[in-house]
Amino acid sequence: MNKHLLLGMLLGMSLTQPLPAQHLIVPEAYGNLWYDNTFQRLMPERDGPDFRLRRKTADFMLSSVTPQVTGAPDGLRLLFTSIGLRDGTLTYGLIPYGQHSFPTAVLRFEVKIDTNGAAFLPISKHLRDGYDHSGWQKRNFGVIGYRLTDPTGLIVYEGKQAFARTEKGFEPRPTVQRGPFVSEVTDKQAVLWYETSAPVFTRIKTDAAEDTFFSRDRKMHHEVRLANLQAGSEYWYTVGCDSADLRFRFRTAVPRGYPKFRFAYASDSRSGYGGGERNVFGTNAQIMGRIGALAVQQGAHFVQFTGDLVNGYISEPDEMRLQMVNWMHAVEPYWHWMPFNVGMGNHESLGWWSDSLGWVMADGFPYETHSGEAVFAEMFVNPLNGPQSEDGAKYDPNPYRRGDFPSYRENVYYYTYGNTAMVVLNSDYWYAPLLNKTAAIGGNLHGYIMDEQLRWLGQVLQDFERDSLIDHVFVTVHTPLFPNGGHRSDCMWYNGDNTPRPVVAEKPVEQGIIERRDALLDLCVNRSSKVAAFLCGDEHNYNRMRIEDTMPRYPPGWDKPRLTLRRPVWQIINGAAGAPFYAQQELPWSASVQGFTVQNALCFFDIDGKKITLVVMNPDTLEMLDQVQMR
Ligand SMILES: [Fe+2]
């Protein structure tokens, strides 16, 4: 077994400037692969199917759509390195910070991106007098928002740029490029975070303290944890960057045990068809924007969003960053006020590409920089209370050493809110998208909760079982236990075939997918009295079903133990946040399915003591789609 390969990889090697070698180690949890240093690709160790894997070249990257900006006497010049933007269009306008609750760019003027990737914004000509709705001429300072469209009409990115006007003309200024966002909200704490366009000092003033908080060093990622807050209280906050002050308000969680609030749930917002904002490179920004607005308008305290935010299935971390940033931008106006808690799906896949199979085959490594898990953790701010990784599981090839598997950091976690707990799982961890064809390499199966994650879930559910302040537990997992439309042949069913399972170090693990589904059901239904529902997605539709013991759920000829369900539990599928729809399919449990629709949908869960009511609305048409008392 040629697995202890420690090979140097020269990244971006050029003849004039040799760079230090990067050693690329194939994690031992994979099999049958070695790294070809010369051609920078993974090769099979043995004869057999062609598994040559490489990193797929990015179409666009966050860095290539982020401009270098220079000032001019009458405006700003933006230079983009992305070749795909050449001959494209830049549309821009002022962002009226301070005038509205939900400030967004008021796009008004178009300029060409030339064949060198440069665009000139004649601000003094375009945005003067009757077009100056933010008052920049008086302050000699403003912030513009811009949209980049490629020559085919694809909206690639929307960014922000601050400017000042001096005697010499216009000069670019640093600004808050993304955010501020409120995350990790509990009854005592909240995290405010944002990204600036350059490494700068910023300041935060809140109702929570007398003093203004000044950052201690220049940085681009700013994250401040506010502690000792009052439960169920509203706090105004102002983020200052250069001459801009961004003022919003957040609400801390209701006190632990408090029985009344509402939250929203959806998943699957990758790009849809029809052009425009339905595909802002990798994400359906149109429907996500509607979801954000509806969630705020309907008084949700937070939005849980579990997987397939973006298209993914790419190799380049900076391309994934761009897609995720586009998703964040779509809900940014609302995320200033209310947390969006996100989990992973199969489309957050970032890894090794096979030209012969035309798809990603294995999670990216080095895991710390190139795995889907690592980039997800980098881009979002989620609780750190999850399991560590699958290292230490009984199939771990090196049980006493870390690094054979990617991290669960920020992609598996839980939080509580009032009398309710939310457990966020990752059923696309260490994901191998075409495992049936690439078992010789190995990886995890779509829909499979691996041992260490399952063990952690069991512990967390036991803690909630003993916690007298918790009445309800929701378990959210991208892939449904019982698919109903679009994913009959995977999720946790695989057309009733229990054979599919993860392959670790060239060995299939002990339990198949249907046995693992039952293990998950057993923990949540039989060993917990508080799990009210599984909140799932992956299928791009909305439907609900009450899973009861009498519901058929095994394939013909099933010869393994049958799990008895000691109580009913709900499965809510809402993958209707903008990805292309799937219609309903026939399955053994179809008689239990209710409310099926392919309309875009946002679920609202009204918690009222021991009662839970589900209300489902179409964020596009505002029609009510479904309503049911769950508990
Ligand atoms: Fe999915």
Side-chain angles (χ1 to χ4, degrees):
M1 201 79 51
N2 185 12
K3 279 185 177 171
H4 287 278
L5 289 171
L6 190 76
L7 292 168
M9 180 178 69
L10 291 174
L11 275 176
M13 186 178 74
S14 83
L15 292 173
T16 50
Q17 261 190 319
L19 291 167
Q22 185 191 341
H23 297 293
L24 189 64
I25 304 167
V26 178
E28 290 190 29
Y30 286 116
N32 195 25
L33 285 178
W34 64 279
Y35 190 69
D36 178 338
N37 193 39
T38 312
F39 294 100
Q40 301 191 2
R41 59 187 180 181
L42 291 161
M43 303 287 285
E45 287 177 335
R46 301 184 293 271
D47 290 344
D50 182 359
F51 290 145
R52 273 175 289 186
L53 306 178
R54 64 179 179 94
R55 287 189 178 137
K56 186 178 176 239
T57 315
D59 290 330
F60 296 97
M61 294 191 287
L62 184 56
S63 54
S64 73
V65 302
T66 301
Q68 251 186 7
V69 187
T70 46
D74 50 349
L76 295 175
R77 186 174 302 278
L78 277 57
L79 181 66
F80 301 94
T81 56
S82 167
I83 291 167
L85 285 176
R86 294 178 185 178
D87 272 326
T89 306
L90 183 152
T91 314
Y92 75 107
L94 294 159
I95 305 177
Y97 284 121
Q99 294 178 31
H100 312 304
S101 298
F102 309 102
T104 53
V106 184
L107 300 180
R108 183 61 181 84
F109 293 98
E110 269 184 15
V111 295
K112 213 64 205 153
I113 302 170
D114 69 18
T115 49
N116 298 315
F120 183 70
L121 283 51
I123 294 171
S124 61
K125 181 178 137 209
H126 277 163
L127 295 173
R128 68 188 303 166
D129 306 333
Y131 295 99
D132 176 11
H133 58 86
S134 74
W136 74 267
Q137 292 175 114
K138 214 158 94 191
R139 300 176 63 208
N140 285 315
F141 176 86
V143 182
I144 57 162
Y146 59 85
R147 165 179 291 189
L148 305 177
T149 311
D150 82 355
T152 71
L154 171 74
I155 305 170
V156 178
Y157 173 63
E158 292 187 322
K160 304 183 184 82
Q161 180 62 51
F163 63 87
R165 185 173 58 179
T166 67
E167 309 83 61
K168 288 191 206 130
F170 286 80
E171 65 174 48
R173 301 298 308 173
T175 194
V176 176
Q177 187 60 251
R178 277 176 287 290
F181 301 117
V182 52
S183 292
E184 285 196 67
V185 169
T186 72
D187 55 339
K188 295 186 189 69
Q189 297 195 3
V191 173
L192 299 177
W193 61 286
Y194 45 96
E195 314 277 340
T196 48
S197 57
V200 288
F201 295 101
T202 59
R203 53 193 185 272
I204 301 176
K205 176 78 185 83
T206 71
D207 291 346
E210 292 281 302
D211 300 333
T212 299
F213 177 87
F214 293 94
S215 47
R216 288 194 200 99
D217 40 33
R218 293 174 195 274
K219 48 192 167 185
M220 293 179 75
H221 179 84
H222 305 255
E223 199 171 313
V224 173
R225 187 177 299 270
L226 305 174
N228 301 320
L229 305 176
Q230 295 289 319
S233 305
E234 294 188 329
Y235 291 91
W236 285 97
Y237 68 99
T238 306
V239 170
C241 176
D242 202 67
S243 298
D245 284 308
L246 285 60
R247 183 170 153 83
F248 305 105
R249 189 180 59 207
F250 69 89
R251 174 163 53 183
T252 50
V254 295
R256 269 182 68 78
Y258 188 84
K260 208 166 161 60
F261 69 95
R262 123 186 288 208
F263 72 91
Y265 170 72
S267 72
D268 298 78
S269 56
R270 67 183 170 89
S271 66
Y273 291 97
E277 285 89 345
R278 286 188 169 83
N279 182 16
V280 174
F281 187 58
T283 197
N284 192 328
Q286 174 165 328
I287 297 303
M288 273 324 297
R290 304 285 299 184
I291 280 178
L294 183 62
V296 167
Q297 195 256 355
Q298 290 291 312
H301 284 221
F302 61 87
V303 176
Q304 174 62 43
F305 199 95
T306 311
D308 288 9
L309 289 69
V310 299
N311 289 7
Y313 287 112
I314 48 184
S315 304
E316 171 54 56
D318 205 39
E319 185 173 23
M320 186 62 100
R321 285 187 200 105
L322 174 58
Q323 295 193 357
M324 288 179 169
V325 152
N326 285 343
W327 188 90
M328 293 154 96
H329 183 70
V331 292
E332 182 181 55
Y334 317 102
W335 201 342
H336 300 315
W337 303 82
M338 175 182 71
F340 285 72
N341 304 323
V342 294
M344 279 182 87
N346 52 304
H347 277 267
E348 277 70 40
S349 166
L350 179 72
W352 293 96
W353 181 266
S354 157
D355 284 317
S356 57
L357 291 168
W359 208 245
V360 165
M361 295 299 115
D363 201 1
F365 51 81
Y367 293 134
E368 296 75 22
T369 53
H370 283 72
S371 67
E373 290 83 356
V375 174
F376 188 81
E378 176 197 327
M379 296 307 286
F380 297 101
V381 172
N382 288 328
L384 297 174
N385 52 23
Q388 289 196 313
S389 72
E390 287 299 317
D391 284 292
K394 63 170 174 276
Y395 39 65
D396 181 356
N398 301 289
Y400 303 108
R401 203 185 68 198
R402 300 216 157 271
D404 296 294
F405 299 92
S407 175
Y408 280 123
R409 186 185 168 90
E410 295 188 61
N411 62 82
V412 174
Y413 59 91
Y414 70 83
Y415 55 92
T416 63
Y417 203 99
N419 65 345
T420 299
M422 179 76 68
V423 185
V424 181
L425 299 180
N426 183 358
S427 58
D428 289 293
Y429 168 83
W430 194 51
Y431 173 43
L434 297 180
L435 190 55
N436 57 341
K437 296 194 172 91
T438 61
I441 297 174
N444 185 23
L445 185 74
H446 178 57
Y448 196 100
I449 304 293
M450 294 182 77
D451 287 13
E452 291 301 295
Q453 187 181 168
L454 196 75
R455 196 164 63 85
W456 172 86
L457 172 67
Q459 283 167 2
V460 167
L461 292 180
Q462 283 318 300
D463 290 346
F464 290 139
E465 200 63 17
R466 286 191 294 268
D467 188 337
S468 62
L469 296 176
I470 295 295
D471 291 324
H472 312 294
V473 178
F474 290 88
V475 173
T476 185
V477 56
H478 183 65
T479 54
L481 291 81
F482 300 97
N484 283 313
H487 282 278
R488 189 163 59 179
S489 56
D490 52 40
C491 289
M492 302 194 195
W493 180 240
Y494 286 80
N495 291 317
D497 183 1
N498 187 49
T499 320
R501 63 196 66 198
V503 177
V504 184
E506 305 198 2
K507 286 197 237 11
V509 304
E510 216 171 282
Q511 282 197 331
I513 183 68
I514 295 173
E515 292 169 280
R516 187 47 48 117
R517 176 204 71 185
D518 277 2
L520 179 61
L521 270 174
D522 188 39
L523 284 183
C524 297
V525 177
N526 294 340
R527 290 165 202 273
S528 162
S529 64
K530 296 184 179 177
V531 174
F534 296 102
L535 307 184
C536 307
D538 204 23
E539 301 193 300
H540 308 155
N541 44 57
Y542 161 80
N543 63 84
R544 63 177 155 91
M545 55 193 276
R546 206 167 143 86
I547 302 164
E548 299 190 48
D549 193 49
T550 52
M551 186 184 94
R553 55 190 183 277
Y554 293 99
W558 178 255
D559 57 359
K560 302 227 161 19
R562 288 168 187 254
L563 180 72
T564 303
L565 297 178
R566 292 194 207 120
R567 64 181 185 96
V569 67
W570 287 93
Q571 175 183 276
I572 313 292
I573 296 179
N574 183 20
F581 78 89
Y582 297 117
Q584 189 166 6
Q585 293 173 307
E586 192 58 34
L587 282 137
W589 45 81
S590 288
S592 301
V593 178
Q594 285 177 302
F596 194 103
T597 178
V598 298
Q599 294 188 60
N600 295 124
L602 183 62
C603 294
F604 292 97
F605 292 88
D606 282 317
I607 310 295
D608 187 0
K610 307 274 185 204
K611 278 199 322 199
I612 304 173
T613 308
L614 169 62
V615 178
V616 185
M617 291 180 75
N618 181 330
D620 208 15
T621 62
L622 307 183
E623 183 183 350
M624 194 198 283
L625 303 176
D626 195 16
Q627 185 169 20
V628 65
Q629 189 172 331
M630 295 171 55
R631 264 188 172 176

